Amino acid sequence: MPFVTVHIGQRTVSFSIHRQHQKAALTLALARTEVESPLSFSFRGCKPVGTHASVTVASRPALDDGPIMIVAPHPDDAEIAAGGLYSAYASQTRIVTLSAGELLRKLDRQYIVGLDDDLTAAGRRKGTVRSWNSVATPLLSGVAFEHCPVLGVPDGHGWEIMHDNASIEPILPVNDARRFNTLSLPCDGAESLGRDDIIRDLGYLIEYWQPATILVTDPEYDPHGDHRAAAMALARALQQSHFRPARVLLYANHYRDTHPPGPAFQPAWTPSPELRTPCFHRPTPYLFCLDREAQRHKALLLDAMTDLARRDRPRQIRRKKRKEGFEPSLAPDRDRYFQWAVRSSEYFQMVEPEDFIEGARELPPG
């Protein structure tokens, strides 16, 4: 696996990169004393095809100026993208999960094979477990359960609803998806959720919590339909709201035909510029750093999510190692998010609220 090492003053930081990408982007946090330090690169398993590189230095505002609202398309998206960040700011964190994650394509993908004998019953059971996950898992970090509502958007249909204004009958009834909510929302009791219902509930939560920082999926990099729909729904809710956060941080848990390379515990991957579909005028990188104990705690959050807790068989483990080109240092038998998400930093794009609204309220298909 190819690596690029950044030498900044007396410090070195190594990043694994994809073989197939012609351009690479790297992000690291600098101490004030390092801003004017000499910068150089060394390479292992790869070589530069030119001598041109550009450097951008951006400030990282503290996030202690008010509540932090995370918009997660599914249970586990908040943990994968920002488990370290929300653990550090647990008392300020609010997590709204749009879908209960009930989509099940085959009966043999049940958590307990043979438990249910039809897809509808199995999907409802899966949604019940995952909606409970979305409330219970943040408790490990001290996020109050009353700050973790679920809306019950039909899993896998977010884009149809938000972009096409489709009417989808949910597998998991809305009231069942919201069974653990303690906060009353405008569309409680609805038989199904349409575009306006999702916007209305999100708008209510924005006004109620008045978050200084909002995290949501990044439509520039993340092609997943439900994830793009989450960004669109938030943009439209903000457009209709009188309240504006100080900043919007964007995260991607899926990438176009690729995944973050390399094993756990290294710095967060910065997505290649080749993967970007521009939506915003002035995005800047925002890096949240995790010490080793915070990374271990994040692994625990992932383990608490039922959908990530499956074990691979030895043959599957060997096939993944050959395909990805490295020996996993953490949880070799587990979902690959244990490698991609448990890193020494979490990467976001930071955009101004008005830029986010303008760029995300009308999105083309991914």
Side-chain angles (χ1 to χ4, degrees), residues 312 317 320-321 327-336 339:
D312 287 335
I317 296 171
K320 286 181 178 179
K321 285 194 296 186
E327 183 79 28
S329 59
L330 172 72
D333 60 337
R334 306 299 289 277
D335 192 285
R336 307 318 283 170
Q339 309 303 323

Side-chain angles (χ1 to χ4, degrees), residues 72-128:
H74 310 98
D76 72 27
D77 280 319
E79 285 68 31
I80 290 169
L85 187 153
Y86 87 53
S87 296
Y89 293 98
S91 63
Q92 297 170 227
T93 294
R94 317 287 190 261
I95 303 172
V96 52
T97 306
L98 301 187
S99 165
E102 71 276 8
L103 183 63
L104 187 68
R105 300 189 186 281
K106 294 182 179 180
L107 277 174
D108 62 6
R109 298 294 291 172
Q110 294 182 79
Y111 296 142
I112 302 174
V113 176
L115 183 63
D116 287 303
D117 55 9
D118 71 87
L119 274 175
T120 299
R124 286 176 178 170
R125 199 176 305 280
K126 180 183 178 185
T128 299

Side-chain angles (χ1 to χ4, degrees), residues 33-44:
T33 55
E34 294 177 321
V35 173
E36 297 183 3
S37 297
L39 177 69
S40 62
F41 302 90
S42 58
F43 303 87
R44 190 182 80 196

Side-chain angles (χ1 to χ4, degrees), residues 50-331:
T51 58
H52 174 73
S54 60
V55 177
T56 300
V57 179
S59 62
R60 288 187 301 153
L63 304 182
D64 54 3
D65 54 349
I68 298 169
M69 174 178 170
I70 304 175
V71 179
H74 310 98
D76 72 27
D77 280 319
E79 285 68 31
I80 290 169
L85 187 153
Y86 87 53
S87 296
Y89 293 98
S91 63
Q92 297 170 227
T93 294
R94 317 287 190 261
I95 303 172
V96 52
T97 306
L98 301 187
S99 165
E102 71 276 8
L103 183 63
L104 187 68
R105 300 189 186 281
K106 294 182 179 180
L107 277 174
D108 62 6
R109 298 294 291 172
Q110 294 182 79
Y111 296 142
I112 302 174
V113 176
L115 183 63
D116 287 303
D117 55 9
D118 71 87
L119 274 175
T120 299
R124 286 176 178 170
R125 199 176 305 280
K126 180 183 178 185
T128 299
V129 171
R130 295 193 73 190
S131 61
W132 174 78
N133 284 159
S134 68
V135 175
T137 297
L139 286 171
L140 292 169
S141 299
V143 180
F145 69 89
E146 60 265 27
H147 292 160
C148 299
V150 179
L151 297 193
V153 178
D155 189 11
H157 298 284
W159 181 256
E160 297 171 64
I161 296 171
M162 285 306 306
H163 184 265
D164 304 325
N165 201 20
S167 177
I168 304 295
E169 182 178 351
I171 292 175
L172 182 70
V174 175
N175 282 344
D176 287 356
R178 300 187 181 198
R179 69 176 62 188
F180 301 112
N181 293 2
T182 60
L183 179 63
S184 297
L185 299 175
C187 296
D188 286 348
E191 293 186 2
S192 62
L193 296 178
R195 179 166 64 191
D196 292 341
D197 300 319
I198 299 168
I199 294 170
R200 187 180 175 198
D201 279 344
L202 281 177
Y204 175 84
L205 291 170
I206 291 167
E207 297 284 351
Y208 183 78
W209 287 330
Q210 297 198 352
T213 304
I214 299 182
L215 280 67
V216 73
T217 39
D218 190 339
E220 291 199 333
Y221 289 107
D222 198 325
H224 191 297
D226 284 356
H227 290 213
R228 292 174 66 78
M232 182 184 291
L234 177 63
R236 295 188 181 187
L238 282 171
Q239 185 180 20
Q240 297 180 15
S241 174
H242 297 294
F243 179 79
R244 289 289 182 273
R247 63 196 67 86
V248 177
L249 299 183
L250 305 173
Y251 65 86
N253 289 342
H254 300 265
Y255 295 93
R256 291 173 176 83
D257 302 318
T258 190
H259 291 288
F265 302 124
Q266 65 172 314
W269 183 57
T270 304
S272 168
E274 298 173 353
L275 301 177
R276 185 183 178 218
T277 302
C279 297
F280 310 112
H281 297 300
R282 297 174 299 278
T284 57
Y286 187 98
L287 206 65
F288 187 80
C289 297
L290 286 67
D291 62 22
R292 196 65 172 223
E293 183 55 35
Q295 294 173 67
R296 293 189 181 104
H297 179 73
K298 184 170 181 178
L300 185 67
L301 297 179
L302 300 185
D303 184 64
M305 284 290 174
T306 306
D307 219 44
L308 302 178
R310 300 171 184 166
R311 264 76 171 179
D312 287 335
R313 295 186 293 274
R315 181 179 296 178
Q316 294 173 305
I317 296 171
R318 290 193 296 270
R319 186 171 65 248
K320 286 181 178 179
K321 285 194 296 186
R322 287 195 300 269
K323 179 180 179 180
E324 296 176 8
F326 68 90
E327 183 79 28
S329 59
L330 172 72

